Amino acid sequence: MKVHVGAAATPEEAEAIAKSLAEHLGVDVDVHVGEAAEPAASAEPPETAYPLDDDLGPTDRERDLRAEIDDILEGGPEKYRERLPEQGKLFVRDRLDLWFGGEGGTRGAGDASATDGDPAGLRFEDGKFAAFDDWHPNAPNRDADDEGDGSDSGDRLPGDGLLTGAAEFEGRDVHFMANDFTVKAGSMAAKGVEKFLRMQQRALKTGKPVLYLMDSSGGRIDQQSGFFANREGIGKYYYNHSMLSGAVPQICVLYGPCIAGAAYTPVFADFTVMVEGMSAMAIASPRMVKMVTGEEIEMADLGGPRVHAEESGSADLVARDEEHARELVADLIGYLPDRAGEKPPQRETKPPKYSPEGIDELIPESPNRPYDVRDLLDRVADAESVFELKEGYGPEIVTAFCRIDGRPVGVVANQPTERSGAIFPDAAEKAAEFIWTCDAYEVPLLYLCDTPGFMAGSQVEQDAILEKGKKMIYATSSATVPKQTVVTRKAYGAGIYAMGGPAYDPESVIGLPSGEIGIMGPEAAINAVYARKLAEIDDPEERAETEARLREEYREDIDIHRMASEVVIDEIVAPSTLREELAARFAFYEDVEKDLPDKKHGTVL
């Protein structure tokens, strides 16, 4: 550090100034007198500017603080904690240890960077002392004459029943929140709401994923004036969820019955995991449902895992237990980037589970004979990489992540074992949401098309086949990630539109030799065009021969070779080379850039 002093300064004064500044600032100092080029005095900081007494250490003040923290870490009343094993669930801090303990387990007393016993991957926790004044005997506003000490009463409110902070999970930095069910059944009140909101707002700034470990009975009704309708109250949760949506991955795991407002966090999350025998979510509790409608129903039947995995589609995954839930999320996050705009992480390639040589034999020649598209994926994707979502909902379409040559890919595949792969409303909705999510997080899309098209009939019209089909086509149209479409067999009607056909800006459409593309299948087409002509043929044998000939002529018109000849598709590939063909195309188009029209947003939701 160079310092200039007045020209009248003496060498002794310059030396004193240099020594003093070096000692107090902790840097080398050169003091120049007037405009002199050479310093009149120089000084270096002493090795120890402020000698420490090795005998110093924590006082009662720090020991009292640590005792308060230990008390907070015990959670709510002991009687509620004792009930958790009967409910099959972990105490919230044991849950954090499961998620963030890692191979090193919990931190010990020798690790000064964290509270003793914290999980090894826990970076820090915010708001341990939230609501401290409302219950703890050491709170400044509590008198010695106050009844009890809050140690085993319903008045215990450590952290206001909500934990928030940051942690390392599977090598990734994440924000987290976790309800403490021993505190007022994990209910939400003003201080906990404030912690939740701060965590979300910090995630918007850091661009890191968020884990919601939910176990909440909803808002504390008797305290609602402090948080319900406030500008920065619980309603802001869902505003923040909306702002985070598509910006950073939001993953929610449910550990109990999440009712009313608490149920919106899992449905706003990008991915929701429910735990069998434990999780539920509903807009109102069974008791409230009975009051409002007179219906008597159990929680599991109202909003349990089966309901949301198979009927509503709100659950992406169902775990067997707490450990399995963590395993599922650990796999899931491996397909996602930390934030929008980043590429998802790649891994070392693995050969597929089964040889691609078997693809041609796997796919029947007849368009009406079923095969399981998962078997096709096992011959295309890297081994052990297929990760299916919403398996029980809209099963006519399979939505899954996988890796091809180590690269994460989102798969949208018609499932011929389910109603011939026809697209029903639930399947269309599932596919639309999956496509939208993949596009948000830069996951390339692979469409495996084998469908007779959208289902027809009065019931599907009532179930909004047009509206939900529109959403699927819109999502496919708007996705700007690299898209590859494979016509594995039949591609009839508007099914080829929804499944990333030539008109929907795919990087390529390739066909297998079993492929067909047409307005409808041969049987339906001949019936539609030639029904009257065939009916006029009296001889049954002649009628059958004519019908067979017409079908064969129609089939020639929609054959994949005709489509390739007319350059409707880009290429026909040998089935045994499909995996290497897709790997090459995804690698080549990895950095493709696509622009959407300059507009605020579309009108399709």
Side-chain angles (χ1 to χ4, degrees):
M1 178 179 179
K2 184 183 292 186
V3 177
H4 286 269
V5 296
T10 66
E12 292 78 10
E13 290 171 333
E15 183 176 354
I17 291 170
K19 183 178 179 181
S20 178
L21 288 174
E23 179 177 342
H24 287 281
L25 297 179
V27 297
D28 295 342
V29 176
D30 294 327
V31 175
H32 299 254
V33 175
E35 298 299 323
E38 296 298 322
S42 299
E44 297 179 355
E47 290 186 9
T48 304
Y50 300 99
L52 299 176
D53 187 338
D54 289 341
D55 293 334
L56 295 179
T59 66
D60 288 344
R61 179 174 53 191
E62 180 172 338
R63 285 188 284 271
D64 289 345
L65 175 64
R66 287 183 174 272
E68 291 167 354
I69 292 173
D70 288 342
D71 193 10
I72 290 169
L73 297 182
E74 290 299 311
E78 181 65 24
K79 61 183 179 181
Y80 297 132
R81 186 166 174 176
E82 289 174 352
R83 295 175 188 172
L84 294 177
E86 302 170 13
Q87 300 165 336
K89 64 175 68 175
L90 295 172
F91 174 53
V92 65
R93 295 200 177 272
D94 294 331
R95 182 171 294 145
L96 294 188
D97 193 51
L98 170 66
W99 279 79
F100 310 128
E103 293 182 4
T106 56
R107 289 172 171 162
D111 189 343
S113 63
T115 303
D116 294 350
D118 275 350
L122 186 69
R123 302 288 196 199
F124 52 80
E125 184 179 339
D126 291 317
K128 280 195 186 82
F129 283 82
F132 184 78
D133 285 357
D134 297 335
W135 68 278
H136 201 277
N138 291 0
N141 64 346
R142 290 181 71 90
D143 298 327
D145 295 335
D146 285 349
E147 293 185 12
D149 61 1
S151 62
D152 194 32
S153 72
D155 294 333
R156 283 184 64 89
L157 298 171
D160 207 20
L162 186 78
L163 284 60
T164 61
E168 179 184 338
F169 176 67
E170 298 296 312
R172 310 274 287 274
D173 284 340
V174 299
H175 298 268
F176 73 86
M177 62 75 58
N179 300 102
D180 184 349
F181 197 71
T182 67
V183 177
K184 304 285 187 182
S187 59
M188 298 174 289
K191 305 301 191 304
V193 168
E194 175 68 20
K195 290 165 65 173
F196 193 116
L197 294 177
R198 289 188 190 181
M199 182 273 295
Q200 290 181 310
Q201 289 155 356
R202 287 161 178 161
L204 281 167
K205 290 189 287 186
T206 64
K208 297 184 186 299
V210 183
L211 293 177
Y212 302 95
L213 307 180
M214 291 287 297
D215 193 0
S216 174
S217 59
R220 279 182 220 155
I221 297 174
D222 58 341
Q223 299 178 28
Q224 62 178 297
S225 62
F227 67 87
F228 174 65
N230 305 47
R231 180 180 290 272
E232 296 297 321
I234 196 171
K236 197 63 173 280
Y237 280 16
Y238 316 118
Y239 175 87
N240 288 341
H241 278 308
S242 301
M243 296 303 102
L244 286 165
S245 179
V248 302
Q250 299 182 84
I251 302 173
C252 179
V253 183
L254 282 94
Y255 293 102
C258 292
I259 307 299
Y264 280 102
T265 286
V267 296
F268 264 102
D270 297 312
F271 304 96
T272 299
V273 182
M274 298 184 76
V275 183
E276 290 178 355
M278 187 185 302
S279 300
M281 55 179 168
I283 199 70
S285 67
R287 183 169 57 182
M288 185 62 68
V289 168
K290 184 178 180 181
M291 288 176 59
V292 173
T293 70
E295 179 186 11
E296 293 191 18
I297 190 168
E298 296 294 326
M299 189 70 237
D301 296 325
L302 179 64
R306 189 205 63 78
V307 172
H308 291 300
E310 299 178 14
E311 303 294 337
S312 76
S314 294
D316 294 277
L317 299 160
V318 177
R320 296 185 300 273
D321 51 34
E322 293 216 23
E323 290 77 11
H324 187 216
R326 188 202 183 280
E327 292 172 12
L328 290 173
V329 176
D331 287 341
L332 171 62
I333 202 169
Y335 296 95
L336 303 169
D338 281 343
R339 70 190 79 186
E342 293 182 354
K343 297 292 185 183
Q346 295 190 28
R347 294 188 180 177
E348 185 175 347
T349 187
K350 289 183 178 181
K353 182 178 180 180
Y354 300 114
S355 171
E357 295 289 338
I359 291 177
D360 191 40
E361 188 175 352
L362 172 68
I363 300 174
E365 185 173 352
S366 168
N368 297 322
R369 282 187 56 199
Y371 68 93
D372 193 332
V373 76
R374 297 182 186 92
D375 294 336
L376 175 58
L377 278 175
D378 283 339
R379 296 178 185 275
V380 171
D382 294 9
E384 301 175 349
S385 75
V386 179
F387 189 81
E388 187 171 353
L389 299 165
K390 297 187 190 293
E391 181 178 350
Y393 182 69
E396 304 83 20
I397 287 180
V398 169
T399 52
F401 290 118
C402 74
R403 295 185 183 86
I404 297 178
D405 200 23
R407 179 175 285 102
V409 171
V411 177
V412 181
N414 303 118
Q415 177 57 289
T417 62
E418 298 288 340
R419 301 195 272 201
S420 297
I423 303 174
F424 281 71
D426 288 352
E429 182 176 60
K430 174 173 83 167
E433 292 177 357
F434 181 73
I435 294 164
W436 209 230
T437 302
C438 287
D439 190 53
Y441 297 119
E442 303 295 337
V443 180
L445 286 162
L446 170 61
Y447 294 85
L448 299 177
C449 182
D450 189 347
T451 179
F454 287 94
M455 189 60 189
S458 61
Q459 186 58 56
V460 293
E461 293 297 344
Q462 293 173 31
D463 293 338
I465 185 63
L466 288 171
E467 281 297 310
K468 294 179 180 180
K470 172 186 71 175
K471 292 178 183 179
M472 184 178 177
I473 292 174
Y474 179 82
T476 293
S477 303
S478 300
T480 60
V481 292
K483 295 179 287 191
Q484 308 290 341
T485 298
V486 180
V487 179
T488 62
R489 197 168 50 167
K490 56 188 179 295
Y492 301 157
I496 186 61
Y497 303 161
M499 294 297 292
Y504 288 81
D505 196 26
E507 276 43 74
S508 55
V509 178
I510 59 180
L512 300 184
S514 48
E516 297 177 338
I517 301 177
I519 293 176
M520 59 184 69
E523 292 80 3
I526 298 310
N527 183 63
V529 178
Y530 298 107
R532 181 176 298 178
K533 179 178 180 179
L534 290 170
E536 292 173 352
I537 301 175
D538 295 329
D539 183 359
E541 187 173 332
E542 182 185 353
R543 188 187 314 118
E545 289 177 358
T546 303
E547 185 174 357
R549 176 178 55 78
L550 291 171
R551 285 181 182 176
E552 190 57 35
E553 291 174 357
Y554 181 85
R555 178 160 271 127
E556 290 174 2
D557 285 340
I558 66 173
D559 183 85
I560 201 71
H561 291 81
R562 175 66 60 83
M563 297 297 114
S565 176
E566 296 180 359
V567 203
V568 173
I569 67 167
D570 296 289
E571 189 60 281
I572 306 174
V573 302
S576 59
T577 67
L578 178 58
R579 171 181 160 84
E580 59 186 83
E581 184 85 19
L582 289 172
R585 290 174 182 269
F586 276 122
F588 187 84
Y589 290 112
E590 181 177 19
D591 296 319
V592 67
E593 294 185 2
K594 304 181 189 182
D595 294 323
L596 294 174
D598 186 12
K599 60 183 179 181
K600 187 172 184 179
H601 55 70
T603 61
V604 179
L605 280 175

